[in-house]
Amino acid sequence: MTNEVRVRYAPSPTGHLHIGNARTALFNYLFTKHYNGKFIIRTEDTDEKRNVEGGEESQLRYLKWLGIEWDEGPDIGGEYGPYRQTERLDLYEKYVDELLERGLAYKCYMTEEELEQEREEQRAKGQVPKYSGAHRNLTDEQIAAFEAEGRLPSIRFRVPENETYTFHDLVRGNITFESSDFGDWVIVKKNGIPTYNFAVAIDDHLMKITHVLRGEEHISNTPKQMMIFNAFGWTAPTYGHMTLILNENRKKLSKRDEHILQFIEQYHNLGYLPEAMFNFISLLGWSPVGEEEIFDKDTLIDIFDPDRLSTSPAIFDQQKLKWMNGEYIKNVDLEKVIDLAMPHLIAAGKLPENMDEERRKWAENVIALYQEQLGYGEEIVELTELFFTEEINYNEDAIKVLEEEQVPEVLQSFKNKLDTLESFTADEIKAQTKATQKETGYKGKKLFMPIRVATTGQTHGPELPQAIALLGKEVVMIRLDKVLEEITAN
């Protein structure tokens, strides 16, 4: 591309960073970085009733956590600021005045009750509700009378008649709307605040935005924004509308859907890695060439091709996300895994917040046992339960193992050999397991499964000699004694 690519992600500070919004930000980021352009954050905060305290800060914090950086924004400024719409009201006023002077906009004094009555009458006739244009051509006397009543006007854009709006969508190809589909729409509300479609068009022009990638729910907004661009003789950006994200039941991902965690903060709190989240979200509605699915950020920037944005809805597959995060966990430094998992053991009350060096080292070794199995940080609590419980409740599979005829002989031999150990290390335990094999003649599952079940309560798990060493001699001997007592009593 010859001209500098400039794209924007424009969150509303109405809540936390949602998966869908994160995808929009991420695709814009990949797009502009692929073309060596500029990525802009612009806060669309004009809907003051819905704004929440700390909403902007939260959105920006989790974008940064994901690994998305920006070149201009409300927190760092830039050449085309300010970057919050509520700080740009004077800018909008200038363009509103121009449209009023040119007769391309007008004041509408209809009350909400009158507008609703109009919509009801249209529905009763089987018509799609839209503004009738009742106040399109008010006389000075009518205006004076409405103002004498104390009515506050909204300002509406005068939609051109018999106009066709066609734009080439990066995802969907050519899309066409007719101006007759729209009634004159509000560009400034009665409280003096500009509406979304008006402010967005002005901002996109003034900030020299070249491309707009956003969700498909914005398709119907595009012609309204094009109307503003046309009214001022400006060139509209190139638009691309991404498909919906669906849940595993192929229903639209809704913020009320409790089956799927909706917000990036939740994944952060559960102990997901930002690199894995970045990778996973990049594949929600975009696909690379080939079968590979694991990519670092630099590679994704390099291979991102907008032509490969999907025309089919993306499926949010929670199991795939967990698998992908697990792949990342396997390949990061152990220190990072410890940082990810340790807070969850502390929060669950398994470990004290302030540990001495010996206890901390023990906890780190326990976590290290599960690096290969861990799907996300919080899973460490369930995975390591065997290290923090006195009573083992054997499940059906474990009981079946303990009922096998060779078990008493194997466990008694193994216990006798452990009893002689002064150094209770994984290497020593491994050696005594081999000695048990030699003494009893049992090997493979006949040997290892009874030992695993009796000492850990599980039929599968981490490296067994290491797990036994970390459990400690006292705990292991008590567990072996108890199992032997129970199975010989039956």
Side-chain angles (χ1 to χ4, degrees):
M1 296 189 180
T2 50
N3 296 329
E4 181 182 60
V5 169
R6 288 178 58 82
V7 304
R8 46 77 170 176
Y9 168 63
S12 299
T14 54
H16 301 293
L17 183 61
H18 184 259
I19 287 287
N21 295 335
R23 181 186 69 164
T24 298
L26 193 148
F27 280 10
N28 276 283
Y29 174 79
L30 290 175
F31 181 88
T32 194
K33 293 305 172 187
H34 180 78
Y35 292 110
N36 296 311
K38 292 287 194 302
F39 180 55
I40 295 101
I41 297 285
R42 184 176 74 220
T43 305
E44 295 180 350
D45 59 347
T46 54
D47 192 351
E48 293 176 327
K49 287 181 182 176
R50 293 181 61 228
N51 293 346
V52 299
E53 189 176 348
E56 178 186 277
E57 180 191 358
S58 175
Q59 294 249 356
L60 298 186
R61 183 189 316 131
Y62 287 102
L63 285 174
K64 287 176 183 173
W65 178 77
L66 277 173
I68 296 174
E69 308 101 18
W70 45 96
D71 302 289
E72 303 167 29
D75 56 335
I76 58 175
E79 187 179 349
Y80 299 94
Y83 292 90
R84 295 185 186 92
Q85 286 187 333
T86 52
E87 296 172 5
R88 298 173 62 82
L89 298 181
D90 291 346
L91 287 168
Y92 306 133
E93 192 173 346
K94 166 189 167 186
Y95 293 100
V96 172
D97 289 344
E98 182 179 335
L99 291 175
L100 287 169
E101 287 169 16
R102 293 169 56 199
L104 299 179
Y106 61 91
K107 293 180 180 180
C108 171
Y109 292 87
M110 288 185 77
T111 63
E112 189 50 50
E113 291 74 21
E114 289 169 341
L115 289 167
E116 182 53 38
Q117 183 181 345
E118 186 177 87
R119 288 190 287 265
E120 285 296 328
E121 290 170 359
Q122 289 170 337
R123 289 189 194 101
K125 295 175 184 176
Q127 299 170 347
V128 177
K130 66 179 181 181
Y131 179 62
S132 65
H135 284 197
R136 219 172 194 244
N137 300 298
L138 294 175
T139 64
D140 291 343
E141 290 77 10
Q142 288 173 313
I143 290 172
F146 284 135
E147 291 188 348
E149 287 180 33
R151 293 197 188 194
L152 293 172
S154 60
I155 299 175
R156 291 183 180 270
F157 182 78
R158 197 182 295 273
V159 175
E161 294 179 9
N162 304 316
E163 190 85 25
T164 299
Y165 296 94
T166 298
F167 63 95
H168 182 78
D169 191 285
L170 287 171
V171 180
R172 300 155 189 276
N174 287 342
I175 298 177
T176 296
F177 289 89
E178 300 298 331
S179 60
S180 56
D181 297 335
F182 301 88
D184 294 345
W185 51 281
V186 175
I187 60 173
V188 180
K189 293 176 278 190
K190 293 180 188 294
N191 63 2
I193 302 295
T195 58
Y196 168 79
N197 282 308
F198 179 71
V200 162
I202 300 298
D203 289 341
D204 283 347
H205 171 72
L206 294 179
M207 293 181 180
K208 301 189 185 305
I209 301 302
T210 60
H211 297 78
V212 174
L213 294 178
R214 56 191 180 186
E216 68 174 23
E217 66 274 14
H218 286 285
I219 289 176
S220 60
N221 289 326
T222 307
K224 290 183 177 180
Q225 291 163 26
M226 291 175 70
M227 290 176 197
I228 301 302
F229 277 91
N230 291 352
F232 291 108
W234 301 334
T235 301
T238 299
Y239 295 99
H241 292 89
M242 297 168 286
T243 56
L244 294 172
I245 301 176
L246 306 181
N247 65 20
E248 286 139 336
N249 297 319
R250 303 193 78 82
K251 293 186 177 177
K252 182 180 176 183
L253 198 62
S254 160
K255 291 178 183 178
R256 293 181 294 277
D257 185 350
E258 295 180 1
H259 294 95
I260 291 180
L261 298 176
Q262 299 285 308
F263 299 99
I264 299 300
E265 182 178 1
Q266 292 172 302
Y267 290 97
H268 165 268
N269 293 343
L270 280 172
Y272 279 77
L273 288 166
E275 301 88 346
M277 293 298 299
F278 189 103
N279 189 162
F280 177 78
I281 294 170
S282 73
L283 301 177
L284 289 175
W286 175 83
S287 60
V289 176
E291 300 298 317
E292 181 61 47
E293 293 188 296
I294 304 290
F295 301 100
D296 62 28
K297 182 167 73 171
D298 289 341
T299 302
L300 284 166
I301 289 170
D302 185 52
I303 66 175
F304 187 79
D305 179 356
D307 289 341
R308 296 190 64 82
L309 286 166
S310 176
T311 56
S312 302
I315 306 297
F316 192 95
D317 185 339
Q318 294 181 96
Q319 287 306 116
K320 181 177 177 180
L321 171 56
K322 182 181 170 183
W323 164 80
M324 185 174 284
N325 197 64
E327 291 300 299
Y328 273 84
I329 287 175
K330 285 176 190 173
N331 291 293
V332 297
D333 293 339
L334 177 58
E335 282 184 21
K336 198 161 189 177
V337 182
I338 290 166
D339 289 343
L340 209 61
M342 189 79 79
H344 295 285
L345 291 171
I346 294 169
K350 306 296 183 183
L351 294 168
E353 196 152 350
N354 298 308
M355 287 174 269
D356 60 33
E357 194 174 334
E358 184 181 354
R359 183 70 167 165
R360 177 168 288 278
K361 185 61 182 171
W362 176 84
E364 290 175 354
N365 287 333
V366 168
I367 291 168
L369 272 183
Y370 292 93
Q371 182 168 357
E372 291 290 314
Q373 291 176 254
L374 201 59
Y376 54 92
E378 192 188 52
E379 246 189 354
I380 198 70
V381 177
E382 184 179 348
L383 287 172
T384 60
E385 181 61 27
L386 70 99
F387 292 97
F388 301 99
T389 185
E390 290 185 13
E391 289 290 324
I392 293 179
N393 295 313
Y394 297 101
N395 63 25
E396 192 176 329
D397 290 339
I399 291 169
K400 281 182 181 177
V401 170
L402 295 177
E403 287 174 344
E404 293 176 9
E405 61 179 354
Q406 86 287 3
V407 170
E409 184 183 355
V410 167
L411 294 185
Q412 188 64 59
S413 173
F414 184 62
K415 175 180 174 292
N416 292 342
K417 294 185 181 342
L418 292 189
D419 208 14
T420 64
L421 289 181
E422 291 184 14
S423 176
F424 204 72
T425 65
D427 286 343
E428 287 289 346
I429 292 162
K430 191 172 185 180
Q432 298 312 315
T433 306
K434 286 184 178 177
T436 302
Q437 176 184 330
K438 189 173 181 181
E439 181 176 282
T440 63
Y442 293 107
K443 59 184 179 179
K445 283 189 174 183
K446 293 283 186 184
L447 174 72
F448 293 109
M449 285 296 278
I451 293 174
R452 181 180 289 281
V453 170
T455 56
T456 71
Q458 300 175 345
T459 53
H460 61 274
E463 186 71 29
L464 188 55
Q466 292 175 324
I468 292 173
L470 287 167
L471 281 165
K473 186 173 181 179
E474 183 181 350
V475 169
V476 170
M477 298 304 281
I478 289 171
R479 288 182 180 181
L480 287 170
D481 275 336
K482 187 171 182 184
V483 170
L484 281 165
E485 185 181 328
E486 287 179 359
I487 59 178
T488 52
N490 292 334

